[in-house]
């Protein structure tokens, strides 16, 4: 098996790729509909809705590095594997908590104070975020353990993101159908295009459908993915050793197999533990890039619904159709990502994604009342978001390289910065909101207009600076007590 990109069969790649499907379905609802549901449907104040999202992000941010550390340290349940054990724990936690988040407070009435309702939802959000973090970290940590070639990691990450896009498409397609069915039942109601308490069954049913579909795909993952366990599969380990030896003798052969991050010639070096990662400048470079990427993707997903309803004044069905267009374009772009990455490299591929994001931001800034033209802008945002997210995840996997024993901590730390930054950003935006009632005032029309510009174009500038730092100071990992020796690229070309 000389080709490292074929180290996993197609069925195993597929079974791995669907392992995050439940998380992706829930994340799509969380970021796209949480503020809309609590503010426009349940009638929470802007700050209260922001507090609930902030609580979720803080819980996720705290749980993620802790779960990453424990996932690296604990052996797992019996012979099941430590990554899959944590994945199972996370899946069960999501299944038992998520349906309560998108439903009316049980036992609450019209006279119930909003702070009491807020307190009711907090425990379910914390349990959900714990489960989401456990599933995410364990699933990401499997990438460098399943494959070793850098382009195989990009391929596996692209497959994973392709199913992320499919999950988002599923959520928005089902949401559109539910809104469409409701609209047919409320043809005589002139206010049927406005969100309100009558839409509670739509979001509740959407959450239940999401959980049913996600549970099925999680079952496929656990049945079809075999986690490597130390000491198991001696023949596979011998074959892997022979394959790596051939690659070393060939000098990594083809130019397209040369990784963006120079390999370290440290066969006798000690493995990096979590404390050592905190002493690596490259760790912070990738963290800044990943955090900026997630800010663009998550904040644009969170506020696109508010922008469509309050700024553009479109009917509520557009909060399903426009995100659907975004993720269809993202799905299509995922097919050309691997050949583009091989042709121009990861950094330039990421830069192409940033250009698409900036084009969207400029379009929104100049076109105040774009109306139906928002479909074209959504294509740019969807393709750009897909590109930068896949490449940022691939750079994280490449940073870890063969340090898989602490890979979960690295992913956990990256996600920690992402969750806290997103939670803080949403809370700041909600606190700056000019309206203090459920109904939108004229000032919020311009508010969401500029929010969409800042969370895409403004953060894209920060991401571009992080990318420049990687180009100027290439990522090198220095194990403690050992010098850094990188591959002489002139011998490879």
């Amino acid at each position: 098996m000389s080709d490292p990109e074929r180290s996993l069969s197609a069925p195993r790649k597929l079974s791995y790729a669907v392992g995050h499907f439940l998380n992706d379905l829930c994340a799509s609802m969380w970021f796209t509909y949480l503020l809309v549901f609590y503010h426009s449907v349940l009638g929470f104040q802007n700050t209260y809705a922001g507090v609930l999202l902030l609580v979720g992000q803080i819980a996720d941010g705290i749980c993620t590095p802790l779960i990453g550390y424990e996932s690296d340290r604990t052996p797992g349940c019996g012979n099941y594997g430590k990554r899959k054990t944590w994945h199972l724990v996370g899946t069960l936690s999501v299944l038992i908590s998520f349906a309560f988040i998108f439903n009316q407070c049980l036992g609450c009435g019209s006279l119930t104070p909003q702070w009491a309702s807020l307190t009711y939802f907090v425990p379910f959000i914390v349990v959900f975020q714990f489960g989401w973090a456990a599933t995410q970290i364990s699933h990401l940590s499997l990438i460098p353990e399943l494959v070793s070639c850098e382009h195989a990691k990009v391929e596996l990450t692209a497959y994973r993101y392709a199913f992320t896009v499919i999950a988002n498409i599923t959520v928005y397609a089902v949401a559109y159908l539910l809104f469409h069915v409701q609209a047919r039942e409320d043809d005589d109601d002139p206010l049927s295009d406005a969100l309100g308490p009558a839409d509670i069954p739509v979001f509740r049913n959407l959450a239940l459908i999401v959980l049913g579909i996600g549970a099925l795909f999680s079952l496929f993952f656990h049945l079809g993915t075999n986690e490597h366990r130390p000491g198991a599969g001696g023949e596979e380990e011998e074959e892997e050793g022979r394959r790596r030896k051939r690659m070393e003798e060939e000098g990594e052969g083809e130019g397209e197999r040369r990784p963006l991050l120079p390999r370290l010639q440290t066969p006798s070096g000690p493995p990096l533990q979590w404390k050592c990662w905190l002493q690596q400048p490259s760790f912070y470079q990738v963290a800044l890039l990943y955090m900026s990427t997630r800010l663009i993707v998550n904040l644009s997903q969170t506020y696109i619904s508010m922008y469509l309803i309050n700024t553009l004044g479109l009917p509520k069905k557009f909060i399903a159709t426009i995100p659907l267009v975004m993720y269809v374009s993202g799905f299509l772009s995922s097919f050309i990502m691997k050949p583009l990455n091989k042709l121009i490299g990861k950094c330039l591929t990421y830069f192409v994604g940033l250009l698409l994001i900036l084009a969207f931001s400029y379009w929104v800034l100049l076109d105040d009342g774009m109306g139906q033209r928002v479909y074209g802008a959504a294509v740019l945002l969807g393709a750009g978001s897909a590109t930068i997210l896949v490449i940022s995840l691939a750079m994280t996997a490449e940073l870890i390289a063969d340090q898989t024993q602490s890979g979960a901590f690295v992913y956990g730390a990256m996600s920690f910065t992402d969750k806290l930054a997103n939670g803080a950003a949403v809370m700041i935006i909600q606190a700056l909101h000019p309206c203090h009632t459920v109904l939108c005032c004229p000032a919020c029309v311009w508010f969401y207009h500029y929010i969409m510009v800042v969370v895409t174009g403004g953060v894209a500038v920060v991401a571009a600076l992080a990318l420049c730092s990687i180009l100027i100071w290439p990522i090198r990992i220095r194990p403690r007590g050992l010098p850094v020796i990188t591959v002489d690229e002139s011998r490879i070309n």
Side-chain angles (χ1 to χ4, degrees), residues 83-161:
R83 310 301 187 192
K84 289 181 65 178
T85 297
W86 278 98
H87 189 284
L88 181 60
V89 171
T91 299
L92 294 176
S93 299
V94 170
L95 290 175
I96 65 177
S97 61
F98 188 71
F100 293 95
I101 297 175
F102 284 91
N103 200 357
Q104 198 169 17
C105 172
L106 299 179
C108 297
S110 58
L111 299 179
T112 304
Q114 287 195 1
W115 65 264
S117 299
L118 184 146
T119 305
Y120 166 85
F121 288 111
V122 166
F124 295 111
I125 289 176
V126 171
V127 173
F128 163 66
Q129 292 293 354
F130 164 80
W132 201 96
T135 305
Q136 180 201 37
I137 295 305
S138 57
H139 194 254
L140 284 172
S141 301
L142 279 171
I143 294 179
E145 294 190 6
L146 293 176
V147 294
S148 56
C149 173
E150 304 306 332
H151 284 295
K153 292 176 184 177
V154 174
E155 182 182 36
L156 208 57
T157 306
Y159 287 157
R160 179 182 184 272
Y161 187 75

Side-chain angles (χ1 to χ4, degrees), residues 202-364:
V202 172
F203 289 96
R204 181 190 62 226
N205 295 337
L206 180 59
L208 293 175
I209 293 172
V210 157
L211 292 178
I213 297 174
L216 181 62
F217 278 91
S218 294
L219 180 62
F220 290 159
F221 165 78
H222 282 276
L223 293 178
T225 302
N226 297 319
E227 179 181 348
H228 170 76
R229 296 183 298 277
E235 293 182 1
E236 292 184 4
E237 291 182 357
E238 292 177 5
E239 175 62 26
E240 178 70 10
R242 289 193 294 268
R243 183 182 62 79
R244 290 190 177 185
K245 184 177 180 180
R246 284 195 299 269
M247 291 175 62
E248 291 173 0
E249 291 174 352
E250 295 169 2
E252 287 286 324
E254 306 170 41
E256 67 177 21
R257 293 184 185 174
R258 187 173 68 253
L260 170 69
L261 315 182
R263 276 194 191 279
L264 306 178
Q265 304 298 314
T266 56
S268 60
L272 289 178
Q273 299 304 320
W274 71 272
K275 293 181 180 179
C276 302
W277 283 110
L278 299 179
Q279 301 172 9
Q280 303 292 337
S282 302
F283 176 80
Y284 298 99
Q285 287 178 283
V286 177
L288 179 60
L289 186 75
Y290 183 82
M291 181 191 72
S292 303
T293 301
R294 282 294 187 177
L295 279 173
I296 294 171
V297 175
N298 293 342
L299 291 180
S300 62
Q301 187 176 358
T302 298
Y303 285 100
I304 188 69
S305 297
M306 297 293 196
Y307 172 71
L308 294 171
I309 294 174
N310 297 319
T311 300
L312 300 183
L314 298 172
K316 62 185 179 183
K317 67 178 182 180
F318 277 81
I319 69 174
T321 56
I322 294 301
L324 180 61
V325 170
M326 288 169 51
Y327 280 94
V328 167
S329 65
F331 177 75
L332 296 178
S333 68
S334 67
F335 287 105
I336 65 173
M337 211 167 297
K338 184 185 175 183
L340 184 64
N341 173 67
K342 287 186 176 182
L343 181 64
I344 63 177
K346 291 186 183 65
C347 285
L348 287 181
T349 303
Y350 188 93
F351 183 68
V352 169
L354 283 183
L355 289 180
L356 295 176
I357 298 292
L358 290 170
F360 166 83
S361 177
Y362 191 65
W363 192 344
V364 171

Side-chain angles (χ1 to χ4, degrees), residues 302-489:
T302 298
Y303 285 100
I304 188 69
S305 297
M306 297 293 196
Y307 172 71
L308 294 171
I309 294 174
N310 297 319
T311 300
L312 300 183
L314 298 172
K316 62 185 179 183
K317 67 178 182 180
F318 277 81
I319 69 174
T321 56
I322 294 301
L324 180 61
V325 170
M326 288 169 51
Y327 280 94
V328 167
S329 65
F331 177 75
L332 296 178
S333 68
S334 67
F335 287 105
I336 65 173
M337 211 167 297
K338 184 185 175 183
L340 184 64
N341 173 67
K342 287 186 176 182
L343 181 64
I344 63 177
K346 291 186 183 65
C347 285
L348 287 181
T349 303
Y350 188 93
F351 183 68
V352 169
L354 283 183
L355 289 180
L356 295 176
I357 298 292
L358 290 170
F360 166 83
S361 177
Y362 191 65
W363 192 344
V364 171
L365 179 64
L366 295 183
D367 198 344
D368 297 339
M370 63 173 61
Q372 300 292 327
R373 293 187 295 277
V374 71
Y375 284 104
V379 170
L380 295 177
L381 180 60
S385 297
T387 301
I388 63 176
L389 185 55
V390 168
I391 298 301
S392 66
L393 286 171
M395 285 186 176
T396 306
E398 206 165 14
L399 172 69
I400 296 171
D402 58 353
Q403 300 288 339
T404 58
Q405 77 290 333
S406 57
F409 170 78
V410 175
Y411 282 118
M414 299 295 167
S415 188
F416 176 77
T417 62
D418 143 45
K419 304 304 179 185
L420 289 189
N422 275 281
V426 168
M427 197 64 228
I428 292 172
I429 292 172
Q430 293 299 106
L432 294 175
H433 198 285
C435 303
H436 300 287
T437 61
V438 177
L439 297 177
C440 183
C441 65
C444 76
V445 174
W446 290 103
F447 179 78
Y448 288 117
H449 174 83
Y450 288 113
I451 286 299
M452 286 304 299
V453 173
V454 172
V455 300
T456 53
V459 182
V461 173
V462 178
L465 294 176
L467 183 65
C468 289
S469 75
I470 294 176
L471 290 171
I472 298 173
W473 298 285
I475 300 175
R476 294 183 175 89
I477 304 303
R478 184 187 298 273
R480 296 184 67 180
L482 292 175
V484 175
I485 306 176
T486 59
V487 175
D488 185 359
E489 296 190 4

